[in-house]
Amino acid sequence: MADNDFPGWHGTTIIGVRKGGKVVIAGDGQVSLGQTVIKGTARKVRRISPGGYDVVAGFAGSTADAFTLLERLETKLEATPGQLQRASVELAKDWRTDKYLQKLEAMLIVSDGKDLYVITGAGDVLEPEHDVTAIGSGGNYALAAGRALMDTDKDAEEIARAAMAIAADICVYTNGNLTVETIQA
């Protein structure tokens, strides 16, 4: 099968919501190959504690690539304990300039409870304007739903769960098997 005929892996929606002094990162469990669901219970949101400081990270894209990036982020955080922004910028710089890392196909949403960032292979460390961010196949659906729910009485977790449910109803590469992690500043 030629590379351009390969159907490709799909299937992740990750959302980050900051509201009321806490951040929630939620991710679905679906991994698809073409039109086939390969796994419905993948865990794409993790809590890491390098240097004794908790950070929650969610990833979209190739799992092996994402784990490589999470390991690199942990290393950066161990070198700069409690400085998520600095560690994220250092990771993004490495990702952009290192020939090995440039080939990695994944994106991350990370938070220490205070800051919330999306880290990309293009060298971006993006902080959402409206305290909601999302990545992955159903990311735009979850982002739109999350932003619409921000002005309600719902807390961060309720918003994340409702936005993910909406994304799962719309995106065939997103399911309702959620992993949800909450972190406070």
Side-chain angles (χ1 to χ4, degrees):
M1 187 179 271
D3 284 344
N4 55 355
D5 293 333
F6 185 75
W9 293 92
H10 291 282
T12 297
T13 302
I14 306 292
I15 189 168
V17 178
R18 178 175 44 208
K19 186 175 181 183
K22 65 181 175 180
V23 175
V24 173
I25 297 180
D28 78 314
Q30 185 164 314
V31 178
S32 304
L33 178 59
Q35 298 174 338
T36 304
V37 175
I38 300 297
K39 185 172 184 175
T41 59
R43 190 168 176 269
K44 303 170 210 163
V45 177
R46 305 250 191 258
R47 182 178 296 268
I48 57 177
S49 300
Y53 293 90
D54 281 350
V55 171
V56 174
F59 61 85
S62 166
T63 305
D65 292 355
F67 282 138
T68 299
L69 293 167
L70 286 174
E71 288 172 5
R72 295 283 181 123
L73 179 62
E74 279 188 280
T75 300
K76 299 293 182 189
L77 285 165
E78 287 169 356
T80 59
Q83 298 181 50
L84 180 61
Q85 182 178 29
R86 184 172 176 191
S88 297
V89 169
E90 290 299 318
L91 174 63
K93 284 184 351 188
D94 287 355
W95 194 355
R96 177 93 172 132
T97 59
D98 183 278
K99 291 202 182 289
Y100 167 73
L101 293 178
Q102 285 175 356
K103 297 181 187 325
L104 300 182
E105 296 181 4
M107 293 177 75
L108 302 174
I109 294 178
V110 297
S111 179
D112 59 2
K114 181 181 69 139
D115 295 316
L116 176 64
Y117 300 114
V118 174
I119 308 171
T120 75
D124 298 315
V125 177
L126 306 168
E127 185 170 18
E129 276 186 333
H130 303 284
D131 292 326
V132 179
T133 192
I135 57 176
S137 300
N140 287 336
Y141 306 117
L143 176 63
R147 285 191 52 190
L149 293 166
M150 284 298 283
D151 290 333
T152 67
D153 291 337
K154 294 180 182 294
D155 68 14
E157 184 172 340
E158 291 170 321
I159 291 169
R161 286 182 181 279
M164 290 296 291
I166 290 167
D169 283 346
I170 297 170
C171 178
V172 297
Y173 299 114
T174 303
N175 70 18
N177 294 330
L178 299 183
T179 301
V180 179
E181 289 283 347
T182 303
I183 189 166
Q184 293 184 316

